[in-house]
Amino acid sequence: MNDTCDHLNRDFVGYGKNLPHPHWPDNARLALNFVINYEEGSELSFADGDGETETGLTEGGAGGFEGRDLASESMYEYGSRVGIWRVFRLLQERKMTATVFATALALERNPAVAQAICDAGYDVCSHGRRWVRAQRFTAEQEAEEIHAAYDSITRSIGKPPVGWYCRYAPTINTRRLLVEHGGFLYDSDAYNDELPYWSNVLGRHHLIIPYSLANNDGKFSRGAMATANDFFEYLRDSFDMLYEEGAVAPKMMSVGLHLRLVGHPGRAVGLARFLDYVLEKQHVWVCRREDIAKHWYKHHSHNK
């Protein structure tokens, strides 16, 4: 394929019935990746000159007026001050690893979190320089943001991010700009599969590791979930279906976590229940996204 825009063509077929066997390590039925979204401190705010307060994925701020929303600001601070340490503890007590979708500015503003990510051995997927919508950028501005985020995260973590994930959705330029940058193993700006796949961008093979907004605590903020058990049961049922299918056709499962949401005690207990449930099962590869990417590069050549 020579069309430089092939990655913008919609594909309703994918692997179809002919699923590749991923051959996960130790014959695992499922590759399970926990994604910690660390955005707090990088959202739109008056303090950063944006003229508006971000309220996305919160309990709901004051709303209904123009001006600085101190309630929403405080909810974001909770995620960075409290929630992240609870989620880290739950994972580490069970010796489970994770990937951090980190915004560069959030890491700059909390060096202790950056150090904890390093100490835990988590990998970092760049979530941008700030938690903003890329659609507001020109192609040139977006390229600058990609480079700035990459360089900043490298300074904060001591090594570069290996992947990329926009807030909610990429632009028509994002994937091309990532390939032109050349520093990323993959991006996760897709929700269309349960296995990684290759995309052709600028005549080069580029890996996509799809993410999930279904197995995601963002549903708490949208009213689709109310209790810890709602979260646990949905994750458990998703896991059970994939685990059963994995006897023949192993897949991957991403679980999205936000510290200002699942970090609260009454929700975190649902995460803890799911972690304990997973520990009861054999042949599950709890892994980082970097591990999945490197496995796919090694075992599934570009022509797959």
Side-chain angles (χ1 to χ4, degrees):
M1 296 186 295
N2 296 315
D3 185 354
T4 60
C5 295
D6 280 343
H7 65 288
L8 297 178
N9 295 331
R10 300 185 69 186
D11 180 0
F12 294 96
V13 177
Y15 291 120
K17 292 182 178 180
N18 303 312
L19 293 173
H21 196 295
H23 299 291
W24 301 132
D26 300 320
N27 296 313
R29 289 186 173 199
L30 181 64
L32 177 60
N33 174 237
F34 294 98
V35 173
I36 301 169
N37 290 268
Y38 188 57
E39 304 148 348
E40 290 80 359
S42 69
E43 74 280 3
L44 294 173
S45 73
F46 275 78
D48 287 319
D50 299 306
E52 60 180 297
T53 298
E54 176 65 65
T55 60
L57 299 183
T58 66
E59 312 297 324
F65 71 99
E66 292 184 8
R68 188 173 179 181
D69 189 335
L70 298 180
S72 286
E73 288 184 10
S74 190
M75 293 173 201
Y76 273 85
E77 291 164 11
Y78 179 92
S80 185
R81 292 162 60 115
V82 180
I84 193 163
W85 303 112
R86 178 169 288 127
V87 171
F88 278 8
R89 175 180 63 80
L90 293 177
L91 288 166
Q92 290 165 11
E93 285 177 350
R94 293 159 178 81
K95 295 180 173 56
M96 289 181 164
T97 193
T99 293
V100 182
F101 280 11
T103 52
L105 186 57
L107 291 177
E108 289 178 16
R109 288 178 163 165
N110 198 338
V113 168
Q115 186 60 53
I117 291 170
C118 295
D119 293 344
Y122 302 151
D123 62 323
V124 172
C125 173
S126 177
H127 203 5
R129 187 180 68 86
R130 297 186 62 196
W131 197 59
V132 296
R133 294 183 182 275
Q135 287 77 11
R136 297 181 177 182
F137 299 137
T138 64
E140 293 74 19
Q141 289 171 330
E142 188 176 5
E144 291 175 2
E145 291 287 306
I146 289 171
H147 281 268
Y150 184 91
D151 293 343
S152 173
I153 291 172
T154 300
R155 290 192 298 270
S156 293
I157 301 297
K159 59 181 180 180
V162 293
W164 180 272
Y165 177 67
C166 289
R167 173 180 174 171
Y168 298 145
T171 73
I172 61 172
N173 300 306
T174 304
R175 196 156 282 158
R176 171 180 62 81
L177 295 174
L178 294 175
V179 170
E180 288 177 348
H181 180 281
F184 300 95
L185 288 179
Y186 70 91
D187 78 64
S188 286
D189 284 319
Y191 308 94
N192 54 3
D193 215 305
E194 293 167 344
L195 285 172
Y197 61 90
W198 295 102
S199 176
N200 184 283
V201 186
L202 299 176
R204 305 177 207 172
H205 298 288
H206 176 69
L207 184 64
I208 315 299
I209 303 181
Y211 185 46
S212 173
L213 297 183
N215 303 317
N216 196 296
D217 65 358
K219 291 183 172 182
F220 282 116
S221 70
R222 301 183 181 106
M225 291 179 176
T227 70
N229 246 12
D230 290 341
F231 191 48
F232 165 64
E233 289 176 1
Y234 190 90
L235 293 181
R236 180 200 62 197
D237 290 349
S238 299
F239 177 92
D240 284 349
M241 172 66 76
L242 292 168
Y243 188 80
E244 178 184 355
E245 292 177 347
V248 175
K251 306 255 183 67
M252 59 173 283
M253 176 178 175
S254 300
V255 177
L257 307 171
H258 297 80
L259 296 318
R260 59 195 179 276
L261 293 176
V262 80
H264 286 274
R267 295 170 181 149
V269 68
L271 173 61
R273 287 173 189 159
F274 180 65
L275 298 179
D276 290 338
Y277 183 77
V278 170
L279 286 175
E280 296 172 358
K281 305 294 183 178
Q282 297 181 336
H283 307 300
V284 179
W285 184 35
V286 179
C287 58
R288 307 173 305 168
R289 245 166 165 70
E290 179 177 0
D291 301 325
I292 293 173
K294 290 181 176 178
H295 179 87
W296 214 259
Y297 273 89
K298 181 177 180 180
H299 296 283
H300 300 275
S301 63
H302 300 154
N303 60 358
K304 293 291 186 182

